[in-house]
Amino acid sequence: RAASQMTRQEREAKAQSEFAALTKMVPEVIRTLSTDHGRLTVVLQPLVLEHEDCSYDMGSYTLHIDSDRVRIANDNGRDYPHPHVSSDGIPCWGNLGSVIAKALGEREYVGLVTAIVAFLQSYNARDAYRDIEQWDPDYNADDSD
């Protein structure tokens, strides 16, 4: 049932259930998990993105999840946290947009976090803010190759 059609008591029970399910993802997927004034903050374990036989250590991501949006930050010290995330933390979901919107709308946070982890472990050169090669530790923007 959609969250907008639930009673307050039903929404609270669902939130508690989802939070409990998220805690089961600690420590394999999630490093830490907290809530503050309706915002869910999830710190993920460090991720590796595999693309064209290369592995890119992407670091650990922090997801800031509000009732209607997700912002993504990274501890890697780069202006862009991920090739598909803008410098201000706004993800370009691509074909995951409807999945993310549905999970947010229905407050299905386990599915949401699972989808976001898959998103962060993927790369599509056509839709990227930045090329994946910029996450290669040997990358040099001045190289002509």
Side-chain angles (χ1 to χ4, degrees):
R1 185 159 94 150
S4 62
Q5 299 173 337
M6 296 173 134
T7 67
R8 180 182 172 138
Q9 186 176 15
E10 289 173 325
R11 282 193 304 271
E12 288 175 2
K14 180 167 179 60
Q16 289 174 353
S17 173
E18 284 292 310
F19 192 83
L22 282 171
T23 61
K24 293 178 182 176
M25 297 173 77
V26 176
E28 289 80 20
V29 177
I30 296 174
R31 184 181 288 169
T32 63
L33 179 65
S34 63
T35 59
D36 184 36
H37 296 85
R39 175 187 248 188
L40 176 63
T41 301
V42 178
V43 179
L44 300 173
Q45 294 291 354
L47 297 174
V48 174
L49 190 157
E50 302 285 339
H51 179 70
E52 294 184 354
D53 298 326
C54 292
S55 296
Y56 299 91
D57 291 320
M58 302 302 287
S60 176
Y61 287 92
T62 300
L63 313 177
H64 301 283
I65 303 169
D66 292 313
S67 61
D68 62 347
R69 69 180 183 168
V70 176
R71 293 291 185 264
I72 300 175
N74 189 297
D75 65 2
N76 65 15
R78 298 178 183 276
D79 290 338
Y80 287 77
H82 183 276
H84 297 291
V85 178
S86 72
S87 60
D88 55 355
I90 301 171
C92 176
W93 298 119
N95 61 2
L96 272 180
S98 61
V99 171
I100 299 297
K102 183 175 189 240
L104 273 173
E106 295 180 2
R107 295 179 172 90
E108 297 285 343
Y109 297 117
V110 173
L112 177 67
V113 170
T114 302
I116 292 171
V117 168
F119 165 80
L120 292 170
Q121 291 177 313
S122 67
Y123 175 72
N124 178 342
R126 291 177 291 139
D127 298 330
Y129 289 107
R130 294 287 184 256
D131 293 332
I132 188 64
E133 289 77 20
Q134 292 182 19
W135 276 261
D136 185 328
D138 298 325
Y139 175 77
N140 184 348
D142 296 330
D143 286 348
S144 60
D145 293 334

